[in-house]
Amino acid sequence: MNFRQLTYFIAVAEELHFGRAAERLDMAQPPLSRQIKQLEEELGAILFNRGRSAITLTQAGERLLERGKSILAQLEDTRLEVRRLGQGAEGRLRIGFVGSATFGILPNIIRSFRANYPEVNLSLIPMNNAQLHRALVSREIDVAFARPALKDAEFVTRELLEEKLILALPDVVDTGGRTVARLERLETHNLILYPEYPRPSYADFVLNACEAAGFTVPMRVWCMDLQTALSLVSVGEGVCIVPESVSNAPRKGMKFLRIEPEIARTALSVSYRLDDQGVHVRNFVQLAQKVARKIL
């Protein structure tokens, strides 16, 4: 039994008349009668009681009509579902991101994507850069927001925006009303760095920027992520060099200063696999770039 035979059978079963069913199917009656006879032979069951003036369904025919309608309905649902997935109207998107992305552009991107594609389920997974790289290689995530940018021949990477580095420090530190800080004044403070491993990482980017500015970090405190680093700053454990967007979310026990002269800028980028042809990924990255352009 194939889907064409099933369609023919349902038409006859609903019309209970071969002539009307043939008109409905836009075909001649003899071929339709032959198809139904062939179906009965293949199934080994009589589907219709054929009388002189009318036909009726046998018990086997009634069961096939019930199941057949269900099968065709499922087929149509599947067709529509696959089409919607192909058009990006629904599905799932797994997004990995570094912690600093949540202070800046990422919430705006997520909000905009949900507004445009409400039926796409989003999985948001915080990771460091090394974890993002591994997860994208192993296809555990679809999109990665990284800082610094991920480098891999299998990835497509798009820079979204560039930020200054600023200083986060405990609010109990007397800055004399200054809004800027100079690196040489950090010699008496612990510099909190993250992540401790794996390396290289954002921590190495900060250390290299300090070294290029002629400043050697004397005292270092290591932790695994930005949130822990900010917590350590707020309790007076030291200071931390962070992307400027981190200051968008004021935190108790902490204040922020610009660093002058400027030591470096850090870029947030979005990456996906070169061989990923999924429409969700393409739509998401295009929207992320659009949101970034508005901010710039």
Side-chain angles (χ1 to χ4, degrees), residues 173 207 248:
V173 175
L207 291 172
N248 292 338

Side-chain angles (χ1 to χ4, degrees), residues 108-181:
N108 291 335
I109 294 172
I110 297 301
R111 186 159 47 246
S112 181
F113 188 82
R114 286 196 185 281
N116 285 277
Y117 304 97
E119 295 183 27
V120 177
N121 296 311
L122 298 181
S123 298
L124 303 173
I125 312 162
M127 298 179 173
N128 60 40
N129 260 34
Q131 292 169 330
L132 286 171
H133 188 275
R134 286 197 301 269
L136 205 52
V137 167
S138 60
R139 304 178 191 274
E140 295 172 24
I141 60 174
D142 305 300
V143 177
F145 286 88
R147 189 196 305 273
L150 301 179
K151 295 182 180 180
D152 194 297
E154 296 183 3
F155 299 168
V156 177
T157 297
R158 301 281 184 257
E159 182 177 305
L160 294 177
L161 53 82
E162 194 177 63
E163 303 177 54
K164 296 178 181 179
L165 293 179
I166 62 173
L167 186 69
L169 66 163
D171 61 6
V172 295
V173 175
D174 184 9
T175 57
R178 295 189 302 273
T179 59
V180 300

Side-chain angles (χ1 to χ4, degrees), residues 5-49:
Q5 290 174 318
L6 188 57
T7 301
Y8 291 167
F9 164 75
I10 290 176
V12 177
E14 289 180 339
E15 298 292 342
L16 291 178
H17 191 283
F18 278 92
R20 291 194 298 268
E23 290 180 8
R24 170 173 157 181
L25 295 167
D26 193 23
M27 63 186 297
Q29 180 175 333
L32 177 58
S33 298
R34 287 196 296 271
Q35 288 288 337
I36 297 300
K37 188 63 177 178
Q38 181 180 343
L39 177 60
E40 289 177 320
E41 291 173 354
E42 290 178 0
L43 293 177
I46 301 299
L47 302 175
F48 295 99
N49 296 312

Side-chain angles (χ1 to χ4, degrees), residues 128-280:
N128 60 40
N129 260 34
Q131 292 169 330
L132 286 171
H133 188 275
R134 286 197 301 269
L136 205 52
V137 167
S138 60
R139 304 178 191 274
E140 295 172 24
I141 60 174
D142 305 300
V143 177
F145 286 88
R147 189 196 305 273
L150 301 179
K151 295 182 180 180
D152 194 297
E154 296 183 3
F155 299 168
V156 177
T157 297
R158 301 281 184 257
E159 182 177 305
L160 294 177
L161 53 82
E162 194 177 63
E163 303 177 54
K164 296 178 181 179
L165 293 179
I166 62 173
L167 186 69
L169 66 163
D171 61 6
V172 295
V173 175
D174 184 9
T175 57
R178 295 189 302 273
T179 59
V180 300
R182 296 188 177 276
L183 286 180
E184 57 267 22
R185 292 177 179 162
L186 303 183
E187 291 182 351
T188 58
H189 296 279
N190 293 328
L191 181 61
I192 300 170
L193 296 160
Y194 67 92
E196 184 174 9
Y197 59 84
R199 306 279 294 280
S201 65
Y202 174 77
D204 296 284
F205 171 75
V206 169
L207 291 172
N208 291 339
C210 290
E211 183 179 348
F215 176 70
T216 301
V217 179
M219 297 176 289
R220 307 176 185 184
V221 174
W222 292 91
C223 62
M224 284 308 300
D225 55 58
L226 172 61
Q227 294 296 340
T228 304
L230 295 177
S231 295
L232 291 174
V233 171
S234 67
V235 298
E237 184 62 29
V239 300
C240 186
I241 295 176
V242 299
E244 187 175 24
S245 58
V246 174
S247 64
N248 292 338
R251 193 182 183 106
K252 186 177 180 181
M254 187 185 309
K255 57 186 173 182
F256 299 92
L257 298 179
R258 299 194 311 274
I259 298 174
E260 291 187 359
E262 184 177 306
I263 59 172
R265 293 194 171 210
T266 175
L268 182 69
S269 64
V270 59
S271 297
Y272 60 96
R273 289 187 58 90
L274 183 63
D275 60 0
D276 193 331
Q277 302 299 316
V279 68
H280 300 320

